[in-house]
Amino acid sequence: MELLIDISRKSFTVGRPFEPKIDDNGVQRLDRKTRAPLWAAQLVVMDERGADTIVVTIAGEPPHLQQGQPVTPSQLVAIPWSRNGREGIAYRAAEVRPLAAAKSA
């Protein structure tokens, strides 16, 4: 199940730019549907209640972003997961764009 996140009252800043998402064997993971390479970036999310850090995954060619750069993710979803007695939430976006680019679009 994917849960679409309303980002209208949140701001995002790059904590760590995109890096390849690697499996346990050191191989870059691929999207199950498109077979495009997966990339993950750490984003700092802020709203009126405070800040938190999430890791967002995208498929395809990642944008070149710098630490501290304001960005906006599109179609950001939360995906609850449970495996081997562990559980958490994975975050996935269609893309992550620099904020200036998002405003001019």
Side-chain angles (χ1 to χ4, degrees):
M1 172 188 294
E2 294 183 355
L3 305 168
L4 185 62
I5 298 173
D6 177 7
I7 64 168
S8 62
R9 299 174 77 161
K10 296 177 182 358
S11 63
F12 297 83
T13 304
V14 176
R16 185 180 61 239
F18 282 102
E19 297 175 346
K21 192 163 185 174
I22 305 296
D23 68 15
D24 294 336
N25 298 317
V27 177
Q28 186 169 10
R29 292 178 185 242
L30 301 177
D31 182 83
R32 290 181 183 156
K33 293 179 185 173
T34 67
R35 307 305 294 163
L38 294 177
W39 302 82
Q42 182 185 72
L43 300 183
V44 178
V45 185
M46 292 179 277
D47 65 15
E48 65 277 357
R49 294 174 296 177
D52 205 348
T53 303
I54 63 173
V55 175
V56 175
T57 300
I58 64 166
E61 191 63 31
H64 297 286
L65 303 173
Q66 302 294 319
Q67 186 177 35
Q69 185 174 9
V71 294
T72 187
S74 65
Q75 300 174 29
L76 181 64
V77 294
I79 307 164
W81 60 268
S82 178
R83 188 177 315 123
N84 299 328
R86 297 176 42 218
E87 56 186 41
I89 299 174
Y91 295 94
R92 185 95 184 242
E95 65 180 332
V96 176
R97 295 175 291 194
L99 192 55
K103 286 184 178 178
S104 65

